[in-house]
Amino acid sequence: MGNYDGFKKKAKETFETIADASVDAYKVAEEKARVLAKKTKLRAGIVNDKATIRRLSVELGTTYYKMFKDSPAPEFEQLCIEITSAHERIAEKERLIEELKSNTK
């Protein structure tokens, strides 16, 4: 019976060691998950802020173009010319589409 008691004691000690290791592993995993969740939330915030910057930059540029396209500051002159040119090309393509529509009726 002494051998069985020794085995039982050893098994209990082994189980306790495994249980302690499991708790430690759980705590480490929990901390890593918490940090990962925080990083993910921060990265999502960065993506949203970058999208806001892009949207506002476009809005700013559009507003500037509408206000100063005929007399832009020298550093914006070429950009305004290119935008005006693109608008003219779009208008011409839209005119051609309408022309094609009327010819197919």
Side-chain angles (χ1 to χ4, degrees):
M1 208 47 145
N3 207 8
Y4 176 71
D5 288 338
F7 173 76
K8 196 166 123 178
K9 182 180 177 185
K10 185 68 173 165
K12 183 180 176 187
E13 288 171 358
T14 302
F15 176 75
E16 288 173 357
T17 302
I18 291 171
D20 290 344
S22 295
V23 168
D24 291 343
Y26 173 78
K27 287 178 182 176
V28 168
E30 182 181 39
E31 177 62 17
K32 285 184 178 184
R34 188 187 66 73
V35 169
L36 181 61
K38 188 165 184 137
K39 283 181 181 179
T40 301
K41 185 177 180 180
L42 290 169
R43 286 188 179 117
I46 289 169
V47 167
N48 288 337
D49 289 340
K50 285 182 177 181
T52 297
I53 290 170
R54 280 191 298 276
R55 180 182 54 79
L56 292 173
S57 294
V58 168
E59 188 177 327
L60 175 65
T62 301
T63 301
Y64 180 90
Y65 175 77
K66 287 178 182 177
M67 291 175 69
F68 301 107
K69 66 182 174 185
D70 296 325
S71 58
E75 60 269 23
F76 299 116
E77 186 174 4
Q78 184 58 38
L79 292 172
C80 287
I81 290 169
E82 290 176 27
I83 291 170
T84 299
S85 234
H87 281 299
E88 290 169 353
R89 289 191 306 272
I90 290 169
E92 176 61 16
K93 290 171 184 167
E94 288 174 341
R95 186 192 66 72
L96 290 171
I97 289 170
E98 288 304 314
E99 189 177 295
L100 289 170
K101 282 182 187 178
S102 16
N103 288 339
T104 58
K105 289 182 180 179

